[in-house]
Each structure stands twice: as structure tokens, then as C-alpha cells.
Amino acid sequence: MKKRLFRQLYCFSSEHLQWSGIFAFVFCKDQSILLASIFLLLILTESKDLDCILSPMSGLSEKRYGWLMESHKFHFMFLKFSKESGESHVGWCLQKLLIFHREGLSGDNLLLFITSYDQSRVNFLNELGGVWFDHIPDTLITEFASCKRVLEQSSQYKDPLFMLELVLHQQPTNGQTSSYFAWQRMVDAVKAFILHFQLKTFILKGGLVDKPLLNMISSSTSDSRVIRSSDVSSASFGSNVLLESGIPCGIAFSNSEIRDIYVISVASGIIGKLLLVEKHPFRSGHGVVIAIAPLAGLCPKIDEDHPSWLHLQIREFDPQFYSIKTRGNNLSMPDHLADGRWALGLPNARACEEAQLAILNEITKQRSAVEYMLAPLLQDDLE
């Protein structure tokens, strides 16, 4: 596979560029080809089956290779691309360059890395105010293991075409507001921070961190209200729940009349739910759950023209049906990305404000639990 691809690259370069072999691509202006070429070059230099026939074709002389690896241009390029994509395979390339360049980063390169690192941390922290903050811990754990695995992976398991496909199939998410794009931004921010965190550890300590240092959430860290409302926090569609914390309001679903319901918001640790509940027909003080939405991302907003109406944005996108691996499989984005909208009708403006505040308070509790969980990692990050 590697030999066949290498011959193809060599043929292309001999037709279009002056430099021979893969170096023709290493110095081209097209970033996607440049990245793919260096990725392939690093793979080939560690390949045991790079025979005497392919070596001349590559233009891979010891002098030329040494000059390439010591060039600050490529440190800059990989740092820039790592900041933009958070791609662990790019970090693998930079790590290889750092190993070869034994003196490590210094001067402008070190300043560049610190700047890139700080930006990745800012982007990561910004996601705590985003609509997917409740998924950050799980994403962090998953991506931490993935990043470490990629950085430690032998070159013989690398796909030479991967880097080219990565750049060609990147999809911009800036400016997009739906929960689908917000999810992608959150995952990218987590990946970029983890990559920079691991590279920082490698630069300073010469190794990688096995697992992220996190606080575990237990009942002892939850407040008394969450414990008393545990039956509500674990409720599902059709569950029978107490209405003691419910706020009476009305809602009109599509093609139906206004229904009198109760809205209950509750956070238990890093899990938060908003429940729409109808009175139980036979049990006083009880209700039946008719709809559930995640607390994170609700963004409760009072209608400017109707102060007794409370608008909620509902995350329609379900990450369980979308794996991060789908981008590796080049799957296209869904055609319809609009989120759901709920409009709750409260008795008056004051009741609407109280309902908004109650929801925001539970969201704050949920976010505080996530921040508590991440605190050791972020503290270690500053040391």
C-alpha cells in the first residue's frame, strides 16, 4: 500500500513540480497536499520496508531529511493546524518532529505554542457556557483516550491518505447556531484542548498523561433538594411524579388545543431535565410526564411582546445517533438541522419571570457540577 501510493506521488511530482519525489509536495503552497506529504514522509522514514528502489525515488537523502526536520516552518505549520482542527494525527506529526529536534521548542516556536495552547483553553472554557456543556465530561474522557492512542500509535498503523482526506473533508461550523453545529464545535474544542494538553505535557515532561484528572460526582456533592427530588430527576416519558415543584402553565402542541400542564426543571449532578407534566387523573398531587427536554441548551427567553410567554429552545440533535467517527467516514451533514421550540404560557408576567429564574437556577446547578468535575484537570493545567 505504502509503496504503491509513494510511486503515485512520485509520478505526479515529476510531471508538475521541479523537486523530485515527495519533497516536491512538501514545499508546495497547497496546505492539504503539504500536510499529507509530511505525514507520509514521517511514516516512510519509520517504515522497515522502504527499500533501496523507493529511497532514491523519494529524494530522501539524510542531509535533506535532517534539514526538513529541523526547519521551524513545519513546527509552525503543525501548531497552526492543530489549533484549528484539534486533530490528534496532526499532533502525532508534531510529536515526531519534536522527538527528532531534541532541543525542543524555544524562542518564537515556544511562544507560538503557548499562544496556541492558551487559545485552545479559552475555547474549551467557553463551551461551559454552551448548549452542550453537560456532555463535556463524557466527551473529554472519550477523546482523551483516543488522543493518547493516536499519539502513541506506531507509524505502521497510519494511513498515508488520512491527512489528505482530513483536510479535504473538513466542514466549517462558524456562525451556525443549531445544536448539531454546536455539538461539533464543542467536540472540536475538547479535542483541541486535549491535544494541546498532551503536547504540553510531552514538551515539559517527555511523556503523556494516561487519564484526565477529574472529580467524581456523588450524592454527597448534591444539594438536599436534588436528593429529595431524585424520583423526578430519573423520570422518563410516562413516569408518575410529584407535582410539588411544578409550575402551572399552558402549552399548545402542533394541531392541538392548549393543554394545562406543569413544568418541572431539575438538575442532579451533571444531568438536567425539563419535564412537562399533566395532572394524574386519579392521584392527587401527582402527574404524568408527557415530554422531556435536556436542561442544557434551553435558553429560556421571555417574549418581548407577550411577557407571559416563555420560549425554550430544544436540542433536537441526539449525539447517540452520531458518532465522532462519522467524520472519518465522510458522512454528510443532515439536511434539516432546525431545533425544536416550546412556548409556555404562564398566568402573568411575574409568573413567567419566576419560571424563567427557576429554570436558569437549575441550569446553573448543573453547570456548577460539570465545573466541579473538571476542576482538578484545569488546576493541573495551570501548573
Side-chain angles (χ1 to χ4, degrees):
M1 164 65 179
K2 293 176 182 176
K3 292 182 179 180
R4 175 166 50 83
L5 176 64
F6 200 87
R7 288 192 176 96
Q8 292 175 350
L9 285 174
Y10 176 74
C11 293
F12 182 87
S13 67
S14 62
E15 293 178 6
H16 297 276
L17 300 168
Q18 296 180 353
W19 280 70
S20 63
I22 196 172
F23 280 90
F25 295 95
V26 167
F27 294 98
C28 74
K29 295 182 180 180
D30 190 311
Q31 178 175 289
S32 61
I33 297 178
L34 185 150
L35 283 169
S37 302
I38 296 182
F39 189 61
L40 175 58
L41 178 62
L42 289 169
I43 293 174
L44 290 172
T45 55
E46 294 188 355
S47 176
K48 295 180 180 179
D49 61 356
L50 183 64
D51 54 32
C52 59
I53 297 178
L54 287 179
S55 187
M57 290 173 60
S58 68
L60 194 62
S61 67
E62 181 178 352
K63 180 178 179 181
R64 184 176 291 178
Y65 177 66
W67 178 85
L68 169 67
M69 294 297 101
E70 292 181 0
S71 172
H72 291 326
K73 170 186 177 182
F74 299 106
H75 290 81
F76 175 86
M77 176 196 64
F78 281 110
L79 283 171
K80 180 177 182 294
F81 192 74
S82 298
K83 179 178 66 175
E84 293 174 350
S85 71
E87 180 52 56
S88 299
H89 293 273
V90 183
W92 179 86
C93 292
L94 177 57
Q95 186 183 26
K96 291 295 181 183
L97 292 175
L98 289 172
I99 292 174
F100 186 89
H101 193 57
R102 297 180 180 87
E103 297 179 2
L105 293 181
S106 61
D108 292 340
N109 282 322
L110 182 59
L111 179 61
L112 175 64
F113 176 78
I114 293 175
T115 302
S116 180
Y117 178 85
D118 290 342
Q119 185 60 56
S120 74
R121 193 176 192 276
V122 169
N123 293 340
F124 175 74
L125 292 176
N126 285 341
E127 289 303 318
L128 289 172
V131 301
W132 289 101
F133 71 83
D134 53 330
H135 280 251
I136 289 178
D138 286 342
T139 304
L140 181 73
I141 293 172
T142 299
E143 292 299 332
F144 211 96
S146 175
C147 180
K148 186 174 185 292
R149 183 173 61 254
V150 170
L151 292 177
E152 293 179 338
Q153 194 174 46
S154 170
S155 60
Q156 64 179 323
Y157 298 108
K158 298 294 184 182
D159 180 1
L161 288 176
F162 177 84
M163 194 65 69
L164 183 60
E165 294 174 351
L166 170 70
V167 180
L168 294 179
H169 290 92
Q170 276 194 325
Q171 297 169 316
T173 60
N174 292 334
Q176 301 290 348
T177 58
S178 75
S179 59
Y180 175 87
F181 291 102
W183 165 264
Q184 284 196 315
R185 284 194 298 270
M186 184 275 290
V187 173
D188 288 343
V190 171
K191 290 176 64 175
F193 174 69
I194 292 173
L195 177 58
H196 283 79
F197 181 90
Q198 289 286 33
L199 288 176
K200 175 188 174 184
T201 305
F202 182 81
I203 292 170
L204 298 180
K205 301 179 181 180
L208 302 175
V209 178
D210 290 329
K211 295 180 180 179
L213 186 60
L214 303 174
N215 281 326
M216 292 296 105
I217 302 294
S218 64
S219 58
S220 61
T221 60
S222 302
D223 61 29
S224 57
R225 179 185 173 187
V226 171
I227 296 173
R228 290 198 304 269
S229 304
S230 59
D231 60 327
V232 176
S233 64
S234 60
S236 59
F237 181 79
S239 294
N240 184 357
V241 298
L242 294 173
L243 294 178
E244 59 183 3
S245 60
I247 301 174
C249 62
I251 188 172
F253 294 104
S254 58
N255 300 322
S256 65
E257 298 179 353
I258 296 178
R259 299 167 66 174
D260 293 326
I261 62 169
Y262 289 79
V263 59
I264 302 175
S265 56
V266 59
S268 178
I270 65 173
I271 299 175
K273 297 178 181 180
L274 183 83
L275 310 178
L276 300 187
V277 184
E278 278 190 324
K279 277 187 177 180
H280 196 284
F282 308 114
R283 301 185 63 183
S284 176
H286 288 74
V288 179
V289 177
I290 62 173
I292 302 177
L295 270 183
L298 284 180
C299 305
K301 182 180 180 181
I302 297 176
D303 192 289
E304 295 181 358
D305 299 323
H306 304 86
S308 63
W309 291 5
L310 185 64
H311 296 282
L312 304 174
Q313 179 174 313
I314 311 300
R315 293 188 322 210
E316 291 289 348
F317 172 65
D318 187 349
Q320 290 184 350
F321 296 96
Y322 173 82
S323 165
I324 300 171
K325 296 180 181 178
T326 55
R327 273 176 282 184
N329 295 330
N330 302 330
L331 297 184
S332 59
M333 293 183 180
D335 293 331
H336 304 288
L337 302 172
D339 289 321
R341 297 287 190 274
W342 288 355
L344 305 180
L346 283 298
N348 50 57
R350 180 176 180 180
C352 190
E353 292 176 356
E354 291 176 350
Q356 181 190 42
L357 182 60
I359 294 173
L360 290 175
N361 284 341
E362 292 301 310
I363 293 176
T364 299
K365 292 178 184 178
Q366 184 184 14
R367 182 179 290 109
S368 295
V370 173
E371 292 172 344
Y372 169 81
M373 194 171 181
L374 299 176
L377 174 67
L378 295 175
Q379 179 61 38
D380 179 63
D381 171 52
L382 293 174
E383 296 176 355

